[in-house]
Amino acid sequence: MTECSGKDPDTYFRILHPWSFTPASSGDLEAAMRRLRKALPEHGWKIVEYGPDTSRNENLRLTADNAAKKASVHIVQMAKDNPPMLSVDVISGCYQVPDGRKVEHF
């Protein structure tokens, strides 16, 4: 879990799910990013960022939001890493725990 900006961290939370994908070849990374950029909008996602980041490797980054699902995805193509991979973070919108409950911090 992660905090919601500007909200009480004991009653509001967001879910963060990080993972990575290592393809059979680094060339598959570029194809995967092209497919994601094309397919995500077809499934209700709005691309809000696409392009190289400011790192030395100039990793390709894609960020997309889905208002209906109250979620965002942040994908980084790490083509120059060993092994090359996609780093994926999916994060939910901000939710409030039921009255009388508190967010469990761990």
Side-chain angles (χ1 to χ4, degrees):
M1 276 195 263
T2 185
E3 295 180 6
C4 295
S5 179
K7 302 234 183 215
D8 179 1
D10 288 329
T11 55
Y12 291 89
F13 66 96
R14 297 184 327 162
I15 301 296
L16 171 65
H17 181 71
W19 55 281
S20 62
F21 167 75
T22 304
S25 75
S26 61
D28 292 341
L29 286 178
E30 290 179 30
M33 289 296 278
R34 282 194 306 271
R35 282 193 308 269
L36 286 165
R37 186 175 186 195
K38 180 180 185 287
L40 284 171
E42 295 170 357
H43 295 279
W45 294 84
K46 179 182 178 186
I47 306 293
V48 295
E49 176 188 31
Y50 188 85
D53 65 16
T54 58
S55 72
R56 181 180 336 162
N57 290 341
E58 296 181 335
N59 297 315
L60 183 60
R61 297 165 48 129
L62 181 152
T63 302
D65 296 334
N66 188 312
K69 295 184 184 296
K70 297 182 180 173
S72 292
V73 64
H74 180 76
I75 304 163
V76 181
Q77 175 186 327
M78 299 175 165
K80 295 179 183 174
D81 282 14
N82 187 15
M85 69 175 149
L86 293 182
S87 171
V88 181
D89 290 332
V90 179
I91 191 159
S92 74
C94 190
Y95 292 96
Q96 183 178 7
V97 295
D99 288 340
R101 304 287 305 264
K102 282 188 161 193
V103 171
E104 293 182 31
H105 300 278
F106 49 93

